[in-house]
Amino acid sequence: MSVVDSVKLLELRTKKAAGLIAMLRKEKEELQEKFDLVHAHNAELEEYVESFQTSNKLIEDSIANAMDNLSAIEGLDDVPLLDDAQIELEAADGFTSGDALIDEEVDLDALLEDSPSF
């Protein structure tokens, strides 16, 4: 191979390397933009988690305080419930324990009569 051919080959390889470097720089910029976007979303999600944990802690504390206040009332468990309230509590207990109504037990006509008309 002659010196001229070697120089041309070197020039061609240099152009290829420059093109590859330019392509890699562009790809790096795109990846950096994606990374910055993911980083921003991550920071936002971390704020949501912190807010949720704070709210959850406040709710837990409120429930604990309410339970303590209710526990402090002596004789509360001995107070008889009204018949309607007792039935509703039993229905709610049944529902949460899996005794929910099945479709055949729902009176659709009664539901339609109770619904407001527009």
Side-chain angles (χ1 to χ4, degrees), residues 81-98:
L81 294 175
L82 299 175
D83 289 338
D84 291 341
Q86 181 64 33
I87 292 170
E88 289 180 17
L89 285 175
E90 288 174 2
D93 286 340
F95 184 80
T96 56
S97 67

Side-chain angles (χ1 to χ4, degrees), residues 60-118:
E60 287 176 3
D61 291 344
S62 296
I63 290 172
N65 288 336
M67 292 300 290
D68 290 342
N69 289 338
L70 288 173
S71 296
I73 301 173
E74 291 189 26
L76 183 63
D77 292 332
D78 299 332
V79 174
L81 294 175
L82 299 175
D83 289 338
D84 291 341
Q86 181 64 33
I87 292 170
E88 289 180 17
L89 285 175
E90 288 174 2
D93 286 340
F95 184 80
T96 56
S97 67
D99 295 337
L101 295 174
I102 56 174
D103 289 338
E104 291 103 27
E105 295 176 6
V106 176
D107 185 4
L108 295 177
D109 292 330
L111 286 176
L112 290 175
E113 289 173 10
D114 292 341
S115 65
S117 59
F118 294 102

Side-chain angles (χ1 to χ4, degrees), residues 21-75:
I21 289 170
M23 184 181 73
L24 290 174
R25 283 183 178 157
K26 183 178 178 183
E27 184 178 336
K28 179 186 177 244
E29 288 175 12
E30 291 171 356
L31 289 173
Q32 185 65 46
E33 288 174 6
K34 288 179 183 179
F35 174 78
D36 292 342
L37 182 63
V38 168
H39 186 66
H41 284 301
N42 189 36
E44 184 178 343
L45 289 174
E46 286 175 354
E47 288 176 16
Y48 285 142
V49 166
E50 184 177 324
S51 173
F52 174 78
Q53 288 174 339
T54 302
S55 298
N56 196 32
K57 181 66 176 153
L58 288 172
I59 291 170
E60 287 176 3
D61 291 344
S62 296
I63 290 172
N65 288 336
M67 292 300 290
D68 290 342
N69 289 338
L70 288 173
S71 296
I73 301 173
E74 291 189 26

